[in-house]
């Protein structure tokens, strides 16, 4: 036998001597069959990476390898067959990631010695043959992301040694057969992102070693078998966007889509996120019968659950994550919620929770995220909230909160995101905000805050977005605002700010600057320096002077509004050369001279152009009439 073979472009590869090849039981095959097997494997070689991949369907002759325990395609150039192996790692057929197409050969069912079969990330696009039920030694079967169609074969009931079964991200349809009764070793069952329907099989409740069940994004109906929730090792159960519940077994103490389990059920993770499939008006009953005291993750978000937040939630003292957002829950937050000392995430946004934020919230000492936005919470933000020193995210926007901000809000030094917008908060912004050095987003817009912007805000060196829009803030802009070197969005519009714009702002890498509807005055900022700016709104102020002439660096500018100021001088066509501009408003100023002869070839994206109510003169050029496929230019009141 030739010792070496030279493959053009790939170099020299050593062949295995026939007397040492730990591969195929030669006695089980004729020489002709072995040769034809190798000849019929459809393959391709990537010369650069020196990898080998299957393309097209597997040959039926693969069924001749009845003693096969290991078959590995992919990875380094070459393939490996073996039969005399003892380790689980080698009892393996790995065809993952090949361009393998269907049909799925029924002859694969002859490889009865296999313990692992991986056909994931292939292009099979065909049904699973019933013969797969012959692979009685399989402990691992992964056929995910393979375009598998049809149903799950009933013969899978023979695969009693399965530990891992993953069929996710395929096109499987029909009912899941009741095949799990003998799978006492099964630990992972993943059927997500298919088109499966009907009831969830009762026999899953007999898989006593199950730790993970993922069924999301299917169309199951009927009851969730009570036995599943009594599995002693279950840690993760996800049914997101999967259930259209027609009935719930009353023995499960279920109301709506919430399944309450006995305290003896050692669940570490319960995720029953059944997005948008729940019948409207079903209630979360307030009962403590059968509470899952060991639950650490509880996710019932994006249902239509109504009623009050049940008191039994406060008994789940091991909870770390509580997500009930996007439901129709109402009533107050129970004061006992402060007893959840291990809670890290509390997400109740987009409900109708009313009343006050209880002072007892200070008991959530481990809390990192508090999201109560878009509810009906009223009254003050309790000072006790400043005890939550681990908070990184505090979202209370779009409620009916009033009163002053907690004076010592600066104690929340771990905060990265603070959004209190769209409330009725009043008084001054506490100077203690200067201590929030990790803050990346500060949004206090749409409140009734007054006084000056505290100079300490200029010490928020990590802030990316600073939004104080629509308040009653007054006084000048502090020149040190230019110290916010990470700032990308600055929105101080609709306040009562006075004075000029500090030049230090122009040196920031801002994408959006909105200072409109204030009382700012002085010369127009030299915004031609702001090379990254996309949105620049300085309208409804008292700026005077001329337009800057050197603005060609503004290659990202999309929206410029300088209307309702006291700007004068000519509008030079050479100053209006912005390829990305979509909205340009220079109306209600004192510009004079000839109407600029704008070349709209240089502004191909323009949608709105407003020069109205100025003192321009001259002819309306034909190119104006050809401009803006969306809206004609507004020149009303332009000519003196």
């Amino acid at each position: 036998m030739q010792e070496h073979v030279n493959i053009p472009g790939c170099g020299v590869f050593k062949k295995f001597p026939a007397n040492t090849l730990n591969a195929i039981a030669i006695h089980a095959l004729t020489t002709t069959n072995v040769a034809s097997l190798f000849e019929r494997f459809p393959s391709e070689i990537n010369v650069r990476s020196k990898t080998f991949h299957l393309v097209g369907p597997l040959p039926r002759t693969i069924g001749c390898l009845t003693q096969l325990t290991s078959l590995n395609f992919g990875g380094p150039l070459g393939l490996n067959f073996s039969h005399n192996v003892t380790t689980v790692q080698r009892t393996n057929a790995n065809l993952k990631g090949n361009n393998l197409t269907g049909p799925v050969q029924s002859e694969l069912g002859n490889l009865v010695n296999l313990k692992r079969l991986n056909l994931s990330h292939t292009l099979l696009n065909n049904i699973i043959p019933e013969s797969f039920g012959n692979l009685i030694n399989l402990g691992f079967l992964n056929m995910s992301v393979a375009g598998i169609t049809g149903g799950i074969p009933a013969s899978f009931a023979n695969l009693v040694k399965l530990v891992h079964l993953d069929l996710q991200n395929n096109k499987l349809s029909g009912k899941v057969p009741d095949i799990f009764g003998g799978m006492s070793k099964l630990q992972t069952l993943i059927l997500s992102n298919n088109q499966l329907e009907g009831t969830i099989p009762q026999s899953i409740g007999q898989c006593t070693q199950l730790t993970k069940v993922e069924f999301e994004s299917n169309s199951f109906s009927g009851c969730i078998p009570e036995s599943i929730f009594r599995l002693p090792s279950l840690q993760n159960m996800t049914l997101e966007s999967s259930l259209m519940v027609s009935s719930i077994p009353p023995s499960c103490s279920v109301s709506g889509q919430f399944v309450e389990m006995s305290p003896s059920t050692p669940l570490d993770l319960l995720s029953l996120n059944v997005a948008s499939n729940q019948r409207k008006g079903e209630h979360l009953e307030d009962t403590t019968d059968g509470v899952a005291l060991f639950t650490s993750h509880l996710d019932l978000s994006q249902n239509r659950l109504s009623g009050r937040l049940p008191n039994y939630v406060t008994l789940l003292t091991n909870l770390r994550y509580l997500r009930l957002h996007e439901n129709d829950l109402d009533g107050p937050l129970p004061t006992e919620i402060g007893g959840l000392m291990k809670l890290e995430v509390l997400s109740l946004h987009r409900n109708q929770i009313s009343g006050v934020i209880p002072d007892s919230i200070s008991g959530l000492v481990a809390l990192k995220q508090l999201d109560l936005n878009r509810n009906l919470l009223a009254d003050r933000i309790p000072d006790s909230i400043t005890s939550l020193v681990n908070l990184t995210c505090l979202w209370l926007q779009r409620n009916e909160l009033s009163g002053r901000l907690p004076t010592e809000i600066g104690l929340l030094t771990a905060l990265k995101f603070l959004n209190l917008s769209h409330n009725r908060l009043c008084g001054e912004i506490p100077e203690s905000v200067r201590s929030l050095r990790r803050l990346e987003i500060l949004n206090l817009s749409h409140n009734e805050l007054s006084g000056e912007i505290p100079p300490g805000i200029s010490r928020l060196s990590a802030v990316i977005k600073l939004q104080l829009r629509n308040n009653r803030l007054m006084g000048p802009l502090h020149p040190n605002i230019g110290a916010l070197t990470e700032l990308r969005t600055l929105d101080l519009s609709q306040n009562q700010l006075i004075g000029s714009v500090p030049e230090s702002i122009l040196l920031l890498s801002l994408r959006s600057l909105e200072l409109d509807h204030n009382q700012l005055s002085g010369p127009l900022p030299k915004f031609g320096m702001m090379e990254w700016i996309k949105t620049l709104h300085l309208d409804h102020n008292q700026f005077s002077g001329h337009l800057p002439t050197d603005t060609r660096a503004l290659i990202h500018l999309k929206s410029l509004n300088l209307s309702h100021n006291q700007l004068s001088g000519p509008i030079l066509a050479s100053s209006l050369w912005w390829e990305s501009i979509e909205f340009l408003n220079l109306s209600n100023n004192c510009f004079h001279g000839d109407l600029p002869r704008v070349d709209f070839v240089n502004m191909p994206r323009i949608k709105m152009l407003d020069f109205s109510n100025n003192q321009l003169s001259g002819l309306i050029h034909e190119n104006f009439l050809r401009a803006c496929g969306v809206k004609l230019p507004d020149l009303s009141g332009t000519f003196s």
Side-chain angles (χ1 to χ4, degrees):
M1 175 178 282
Q2 184 180 352
E3 291 291 332
H4 297 80
V5 61
N6 184 27
I7 299 177
C10 296
V12 177
F13 293 84
K14 184 177 181 180
K15 281 194 172 183
F16 290 100
N19 59 345
T20 61
L21 182 62
N22 184 19
I24 304 172
I26 301 296
H27 64 271
L29 298 170
T30 68
T31 304
T32 303
N33 284 341
V34 173
S36 65
L37 175 64
F38 281 95
E39 289 172 1
R40 295 180 186 179
F41 270 122
S43 61
E44 61 184 6
I45 295 174
N46 186 318
V47 174
R48 179 172 297 179
S49 61
K50 296 184 178 180
T51 56
F52 174 96
H53 292 286
L54 294 177
V55 293
L58 280 174
R60 291 184 180 276
T61 46
I62 195 171
C64 299
L65 307 179
T66 55
Q67 303 300 312
L68 187 70
T69 55
S70 181
L71 171 60
N72 196 340
F73 287 85
L77 183 65
L79 50 89
N80 177 43
F81 295 83
S82 60
H83 79 290
N84 187 20
V85 238
T86 56
T87 61
V88 172
Q89 288 76 9
R90 297 289 301 277
T91 54
N92 172 48
N94 183 8
L95 302 171
K96 177 181 179 181
N98 283 274
N99 292 327
L100 187 66
T101 61
V104 186
Q105 302 293 5
S106 60
E107 285 78 6
L108 281 170
N110 295 338
L111 310 183
V112 294
N113 291 310
L114 284 181
K115 294 186 178 179
R116 296 172 64 88
L117 176 58
N118 193 339
L119 296 171
S120 66
H121 297 271
T122 53
L123 305 171
L124 295 174
N125 295 314
N126 213 290
I127 64 171
I128 305 173
E130 285 285 338
S131 64
F132 270 41
N134 297 333
L135 303 176
I136 57 175
N137 290 301
L138 272 186
F140 178 100
L141 176 58
N142 188 344
M143 300 183 72
S144 62
V145 198
I148 298 295
T149 59
I152 298 174
S155 64
F156 270 28
N158 299 329
L159 307 183
V160 294
K161 294 183 180 181
L162 271 182
V163 176
H164 180 100
L165 176 59
D166 187 349
L167 302 176
Q168 66 178 308
N169 291 92
N170 282 297
K171 302 173 185 177
L172 291 168
S173 58
K175 296 181 178 181
V176 179
D178 211 5
I179 56 177
F180 302 97
M183 297 184 187
S184 59
K185 297 181 179 181
L186 192 64
Q187 297 178 15
T188 302
L189 175 59
I190 305 178
L191 304 178
S192 309
N193 294 290
N194 280 288
Q195 301 163 21
L196 298 167
E197 58 188 13
T199 57
I200 296 174
Q202 293 277 349
S203 58
I204 294 177
Q206 299 177 45
C207 302
T208 55
Q209 296 190 38
L210 263 180
T211 60
K212 177 187 289 189
V213 177
E214 295 185 4
F215 285 176
E216 68 262 28
S217 298
N218 282 287
S219 299
F220 293 118
S221 59
C223 302
I224 306 171
E226 177 183 354
S227 56
I228 293 180
F229 300 105
R230 302 191 185 281
L231 291 172
S233 301
L234 191 62
Q235 296 178 353
N236 185 339
M237 183 169 183
T238 305
L239 295 169
E240 179 180 356
S241 303
S242 190
L243 287 178
M244 290 188 290
V245 178
S246 61
S247 61
I248 301 292
S251 59
C252 281
S253 300
V254 178
S255 176
Q257 188 44 53
F258 182 60
V259 182
E260 298 174 13
M261 294 151 292
S262 69
S264 62
T265 308
L267 283 183
D268 292 319
L269 176 59
L270 169 65
S271 179
L272 293 176
N273 186 340
V274 196
S276 306
N277 279 320
Q278 189 60 35
R279 293 196 304 257
K280 186 173 179 62
E282 295 183 342
H283 288 258
L284 285 175
E285 294 179 351
D286 190 9
T287 171
T288 58
D289 294 337
V291 175
L293 295 178
F294 294 94
T295 302
S296 65
H297 292 54
L298 178 58
D299 189 339
L300 296 168
S301 56
Q302 297 178 319
N303 287 281
R304 295 181 179 178
L305 300 172
S306 61
R308 296 193 172 193
L309 186 68
N311 278 330
Y312 58 69
V313 169
T314 65
L315 299 179
L316 307 179
T317 54
N318 287 306
L319 265 181
R320 292 173 53 210
Y321 299 89
L322 176 57
R323 293 185 174 97
L324 295 170
H325 53 266
E326 298 183 50
N327 282 292
D328 294 323
L329 300 174
D330 55 24
L333 287 173
T335 57
E336 294 85 357
I337 202 167
L340 302 179
M341 299 178 63
K342 296 182 180 179
L343 197 64
E344 297 179 15
V345 173
L346 176 57
S347 180
L348 299 172
H349 65 267
R350 290 182 182 268
N351 280 286
Q352 300 176 41
I353 296 172
S354 58
V356 302
I357 300 173
D359 283 314
S360 61
I361 203 166
S362 61
L364 305 179
V365 292
L367 201 64
K368 295 179 180 179
Q369 295 183 20
L370 176 58
D371 191 351
L372 303 176
N373 86 80
R374 293 179 184 268
N375 278 286
L376 303 172
L377 294 167
D379 208 349
R380 64 188 180 90
I381 300 174
D383 290 336
S384 60
I385 207 169
T386 61
S387 300
L388 306 181
V389 294
N390 291 304
L391 267 187
T392 60
C393 305
L394 177 56
W395 291 298
L396 301 178
Q397 68 268 28
R398 296 187 181 274
N399 279 283
E400 298 176 4
L401 297 168
S402 58
R404 295 177 175 269
L405 291 172
T407 305
E408 298 302 325
I409 198 169
L411 294 175
L412 302 178
T413 55
L415 270 183
K416 292 185 177 181
F417 306 98
L418 176 59
N419 193 337
L420 307 178
S421 63
H422 294 87
N423 282 289
R424 301 175 187 171
L425 301 170
C426 61
E428 298 185 358
I429 300 174
E431 183 62 37
S432 66
V433 296
R434 67 183 184 275
S435 300
L436 304 178
R437 300 295 184 85
R438 299 182 184 179
L439 204 61
E440 297 178 11
I441 294 179
L442 175 59
N443 191 345
L444 303 178
S445 301
H446 297 277
N447 279 289
E448 300 171 9
L449 299 171
S450 57
E452 295 190 7
I453 299 173
I457 278 187
S458 63
R459 300 178 65 178
L460 304 182
S461 56
V463 73
I464 298 172
K465 286 187 178 182
L466 176 57
Q467 298 162 294
L468 304 177
R469 181 188 189 96
N470 196 10
N471 279 287
R472 299 174 183 173
L473 299 170
M474 58 183 64
L477 289 173
H478 198 282
N480 286 348
I481 200 167
L484 303 178
T485 56
E486 299 298 318
L487 195 62
R488 299 295 178 264
T489 297
L490 177 60
D491 188 352
L492 305 178
S493 58
Q494 299 185 47
N495 281 288
Q496 301 169 25
L497 302 174
I498 60 173
S500 60
V501 178
E503 288 191 8
S504 60
I505 287 183
L506 305 179
L507 302 177
L508 300 174
S509 299
L510 289 174
R511 274 57 170 176
S512 178
L513 175 60
E514 298 182 59
L515 300 175
D516 54 278
H517 291 84
N518 278 287
Q519 300 171 26
L520 298 169
S521 59
L524 198 65
K526 298 177 181 179
F527 57 82
M529 303 167 58
M530 307 176 72
E531 59 178 319
W532 296 102
I533 198 72
K534 293 182 178 180
T535 300
L536 178 59
H537 293 173
L538 302 175
D539 54 287
H540 292 83
N541 279 289
Q542 300 170 20
F543 291 116
S544 58
H546 296 181
L547 287 175
T549 56
D550 187 10
T551 61
R552 294 202 178 191
L554 306 181
I555 60 175
H556 304 288
L557 186 63
K558 291 186 176 181
S559 179
L560 175 63
N561 193 341
L562 303 178
S563 67
H564 294 86
N565 277 289
Q566 300 170 17
L567 302 174
S568 59
I571 301 176
L572 301 177
S574 59
S575 300
L576 307 179
W577 194 338
W578 305 309
E579 185 175 351
S580 297
I581 194 73
E582 297 179 6
F583 303 94
L584 175 59
N585 192 343
L586 302 179
S587 67
N588 293 280
N589 278 287
C590 303
F591 293 117
H592 57 79
D594 289 342
L595 187 68
R597 196 180 186 92
V598 179
D599 187 353
F600 288 101
V601 173
N602 296 325
M603 296 193 291
R605 302 178 184 178
I606 193 74
K607 297 178 181 178
M608 191 277 283
L609 178 65
D610 191 347
F611 287 172
S612 64
N613 296 308
N614 279 286
Q615 301 171 21
L616 300 171
S617 59
L619 298 175
I620 300 177
H621 303 292
E622 184 178 349
N623 58 354
F624 265 98
L625 302 178
R626 292 198 301 264
C628 312
V630 177
K631 182 178 180 181
L632 287 173
D634 190 345
L635 303 176
S636 60
T638 295
F639 301 101
S640 56

